[in-house]
């Protein structure tokens, strides 16, 4: 919601509630989509080292996750199309990059073994998602200084959260890669 606060300081926003709901739906659909990709990519590792997770316990199947994901991606695409050419372009780029990241940027273990590079490249999706949300509210490509400062702030916070999330005590570390 910091995006809403920033945007309303620089411009008048019409239809605020529908735009907030649209932005939240797109963000949730994107986040779910990336989690489904991770579930597929890490299935063998999780089967071995994380047997208490929902897929491994049989609470939900990968097939069911994909079905929910398809619905979420359709919502994401429809909302992007609704808000115009800029949101459609950025939304399409996000979906393209999720496909590329799903395949580890076609570099496999070369990039996964480089923690900072791998996470930095994956977090470019966060930058694009934040840009997309701004465009929902602004509906044009006029992205001024406060936008760039806010984007930097969001990206920096996302980087910190991602790094802290990956740091574990030695006793919590799995024996897998």
């Amino acid at each position: 919601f910091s995006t809403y606060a920033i945007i309303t300081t620089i411009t008048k926003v019409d239809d605020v509630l529908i735009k907030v709901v649209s932005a939240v739906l797109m963000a949730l659909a994107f986040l779910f989509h990336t989690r489904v990709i991770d579930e597929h990519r890490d299935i063998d590792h999780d089967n071995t080292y994380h047997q208490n997770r929902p897929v491994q316990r049989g609470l939900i199947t990968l097939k069911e996750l994909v079905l929910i994901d398809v619905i979420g991606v359709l919502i994401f695409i429809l909302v992007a199309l609704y808000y115009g050419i800029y949101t459609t372009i950025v939304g399409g780029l996000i979906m393209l990059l999720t496909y590329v990241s799903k395949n580890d940027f076609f570099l496999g273990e070369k990039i996964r073994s480089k923690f900072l590079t791998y996470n930095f490249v994956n977090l470019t999706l966060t930058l694009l998602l934040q840009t997309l949300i701004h465009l929902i509210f602004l509906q044009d490509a006029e992205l001024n200084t406060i936008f760039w400062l806010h984007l930097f702030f969001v990206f920096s916070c996302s980087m910190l959260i991602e790094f802290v999330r990956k740091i574990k005590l030695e006793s919590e570390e799995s024996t897998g890669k």
Side-chain angles (χ1 to χ4, degrees):
F1 291 98
S2 62
T3 301
Y4 172 74
I6 294 296
I7 288 175
T8 55
T9 63
I10 59 175
T11 187
K12 183 182 180 312
V13 178
D14 297 323
D15 304 322
V16 172
L17 182 60
I18 191 73
K19 289 179 180 179
V20 168
V21 169
S22 296
V24 168
L25 280 174
M26 289 187 89
L28 289 174
F30 165 77
L31 292 170
F32 187 78
H33 181 61
T34 59
R35 296 310 317 146
V36 172
I37 288 170
D38 280 349
E39 282 298 323
H40 278 86
R41 182 175 44 213
D42 298 338
I43 190 71
D44 292 332
H45 175 83
D46 291 348
N47 285 342
T48 304
Y49 299 103
H50 302 287
Q51 294 148 356
N52 61 335
R53 292 188 176 166
V55 171
Q56 285 66 33
R57 289 179 21 218
L59 298 176
I60 191 165
T61 66
L62 287 177
K63 201 174 202 178
E64 292 166 332
L65 285 174
V66 168
L67 177 62
I68 297 167
D69 187 36
V70 167
I71 293 167
V73 168
L74 284 173
I75 290 169
F76 183 95
I77 291 168
L78 290 172
V79 173
L81 288 167
Y82 176 79
Y83 283 104
I85 187 69
Y86 295 117
T87 54
T88 301
I89 290 169
V90 174
L93 187 57
I94 288 170
M95 285 298 129
L96 177 67
L97 286 176
T98 57
Y99 171 76
V100 174
S101 71
K102 172 185 172 183
N103 295 296
D104 290 325
F105 307 96
F106 302 104
L107 296 171
E109 197 55 41
K110 281 183 182 178
I111 194 163
R112 284 191 112 189
S113 64
K114 301 200 181 339
F115 178 76
L116 289 175
T117 303
Y118 182 72
N119 284 290
F120 182 81
V121 171
N122 273 306
L123 282 173
T124 57
L125 289 165
T126 304
L127 287 171
L128 289 171
L129 181 65
Q130 188 64 39
T131 303
L132 179 69
I133 291 168
H134 275 269
L135 290 171
I136 287 172
F137 287 93
L138 296 175
Q139 291 192 335
D140 62 29
E142 184 184 322
L143 305 174
N144 62 21
T145 304
I146 199 162
F147 162 78
W148 294 110
L149 289 171
H150 185 249
L151 193 62
F152 175 75
F153 172 77
V154 168
F155 183 73
S156 299
C157 289
S158 297
M159 267 310 247
L160 285 172
I161 290 168
E162 186 62 21
F163 292 147
V164 169
R165 187 177 77 84
K166 300 282 183 172
I167 297 171
K168 296 179 182 173
L169 296 172
E170 192 172 329
S171 61
E172 295 174 340
E173 193 66 56
S174 69
T175 56
K177 288 186 179 179

